[in-house]
Amino acid sequence: MESKRQQKFARIIQQDLGDIFLREGNSWLPGVMITVTSVRVTSDLGIARVYLSFLNAKSPQEAIDQVKSKSGEIRYKLGNKIKDQAKSVPTLEFFIDDSVEYRQHIDKLFDEINKGKAGNKGADNGDA
């Protein structure tokens, strides 16, 4: 469980990275919108695990690879933003947030189950 300090620091990083991706993201990935969905910070505040989602990306894996290649630049820009709030800038680790796709997959499965039940109710009514 994260401490309040970790949670606060993660929120600051999430907001500032969101601003960075809003301003700079189009030059790195033209036509792709990058969203910082969550940030998890280690207890020593040395590593920030950043989860990103990509809208209009042909390949999320290529998009995350592009972001990872810019991680030094992103960390530098983040450092300029948080320099008054943190002693050091954490190492950034970027990951694809696939929770939206997972949620859509689960919703699709439930829809299929519900359609199957609706079809069975019609069959049950014919038997009675």
Side-chain angles (χ1 to χ4, degrees):
M1 188 164 141
E2 291 182 328
S3 69
K4 293 209 182 279
R5 181 175 170 227
Q6 287 172 280
Q7 291 171 357
K8 182 180 177 184
F9 194 52
R11 281 192 303 271
I12 291 168
I13 292 172
Q14 182 174 1
Q15 183 178 17
D16 289 340
L17 283 177
D19 290 343
I20 291 168
F21 285 125
L22 186 63
R23 290 194 178 104
E24 308 284 334
N26 202 35
S27 65
W28 299 326
L29 293 164
V32 176
M33 183 174 176
I34 305 169
T35 305
V36 181
T37 56
S38 68
V39 175
R40 300 280 181 240
V41 181
T42 57
S43 59
D44 65 353
L45 307 181
I47 299 173
R49 292 182 179 94
V50 181
Y51 294 86
L52 304 172
S53 68
F54 302 94
L55 185 63
N56 297 330
K58 292 178 184 169
S59 167
Q61 187 58 50
E62 287 178 19
I64 198 75
D65 290 343
Q66 182 67 21
V67 169
K68 286 178 180 180
S69 74
K70 301 285 185 188
S71 64
E73 181 181 346
I74 295 167
R75 186 171 184 241
Y76 176 78
K77 290 177 186 290
L78 178 64
N80 287 335
K81 287 184 162 285
I82 66 169
K83 64 184 173 193
D84 297 331
Q85 301 169 25
K87 291 179 183 176
S88 64
V89 182
T91 301
L92 301 176
E93 295 178 353
F94 294 102
F95 301 94
I96 297 172
D97 182 3
D98 59 355
S99 62
V100 172
E101 290 85 12
Y102 179 74
R103 222 178 342 231
Q104 288 173 342
H105 175 72
I106 296 298
D107 287 344
K108 182 179 174 185
L109 291 175
F110 279 125
D111 287 344
E112 290 173 8
I113 290 169
N114 288 334
K115 286 179 187 175
K117 285 183 179 179
N120 288 342
K121 283 184 181 180
D124 290 343
N125 290 341
D127 291 341

